[in-house]
Amino acid sequence: MNKNIMRRSLIYVVGVFFMSLGISFSIYADLGVSPVSSLSYAVTLVTGISVGTITVFTHFFYIGVQVLITRVLDIKDAAIQLAIAFLFGFFIDASLFLVQLVLPAPTNLAIQWLYLIISLFLIAMGLTGYTNVNFTLMPYDELTNVISKHVHMTYGHARIVGDVSNVLLALAIGFIFLGSLGSIGIGTVVAAVSVGRISNWLMKLIKKYNLPLI
């Protein structure tokens, strides 16, 4: 394995970890998680099963939706996506355990918002690295690509469709089983409008200062 592949692989794995850490901060903030994790965390709130484990199962669902849209099942590609999903799920559970162990509980709104803001930057940093090394993406992100290509819409619009669908499913689970918003809150809205903007800002900085992302 040459040095370039090793460096890109490291950036990829670190990016996935940063995203998982950001999700853990948003869960701990308890203001609502990002749209990407809203469905997984809603199921966790109902079942008590760890959010990392549920994340893996929801990614099976996202692959299934890909197959329904494309009517093609690429076993190799699906296996790679699931391997990444398992890594992502493990990182979420491990980072959430560490965050809850090390950091003080968010006993007031100031701390909650601090954790939420940290989560936004961590997710954006992870997303920026993970999506720019030209490796296979996780099922949720690959689903966005599939929607974009097969429904003939821009990637941004496809992302909105995916995020809104995820949030609606999470809301339905929350109302039906918990009688509340569940995993959805003001933090969900803030993440929806902020993470992409922060990621774009980071990419501009990387290009401006010629930083070696890949």
Side-chain angles (χ1 to χ4, degrees), residues 23-174:
I23 289 168
S24 295
F25 265 93
S26 69
I27 290 172
Y28 201 37
D30 197 27
L31 290 172
V33 299
S34 67
V36 175
S37 302
S38 58
L39 178 58
S40 299
Y41 191 49
V43 176
T44 289
L45 291 174
V46 172
T47 64
I49 300 173
S50 76
V51 65
T53 300
I54 296 299
T55 294
V56 174
F57 282 108
T58 56
H59 280 82
F60 274 97
F61 169 71
Y62 299 140
I63 289 176
V65 177
Q66 290 179 44
V67 173
L68 287 175
I69 294 173
T70 63
R71 299 182 182 180
V72 175
L73 175 58
D74 186 326
I75 299 296
K76 181 180 178 181
D77 185 62
I80 294 173
Q81 289 186 49
L82 285 176
I84 302 163
F86 272 99
L87 178 67
F88 187 46
F90 169 76
F91 279 162
I92 289 175
D93 281 346
S95 60
L96 182 58
F97 172 78
L98 290 174
V99 165
Q100 292 174 333
L101 180 68
V102 173
L103 297 178
T107 53
N108 57 61
L109 273 176
I111 298 177
Q112 286 180 288
W113 276 98
L114 174 62
Y115 289 168
L116 177 62
I117 292 169
I118 291 173
S119 79
L120 300 176
F121 278 89
L122 287 172
I123 293 172
M125 289 168 63
L127 189 64
T128 302
Y130 145 82
T131 58
N132 282 281
V133 292
N134 298 319
F135 287 169
T136 300
L137 301 177
M138 284 185 286
Y140 187 84
D141 297 309
E142 286 291 352
L143 176 57
T144 303
N145 284 329
V146 167
I147 294 172
S148 176
K149 292 176 182 177
H150 289 267
V151 187
H152 306 295
M153 61 175 62
T154 65
Y155 181 89
H157 287 155
R159 187 73 182 202
I160 291 171
V161 169
D163 286 351
V164 170
S165 299
N166 234 31
V167 169
L168 289 176
L169 285 172
L171 279 172
I173 290 171

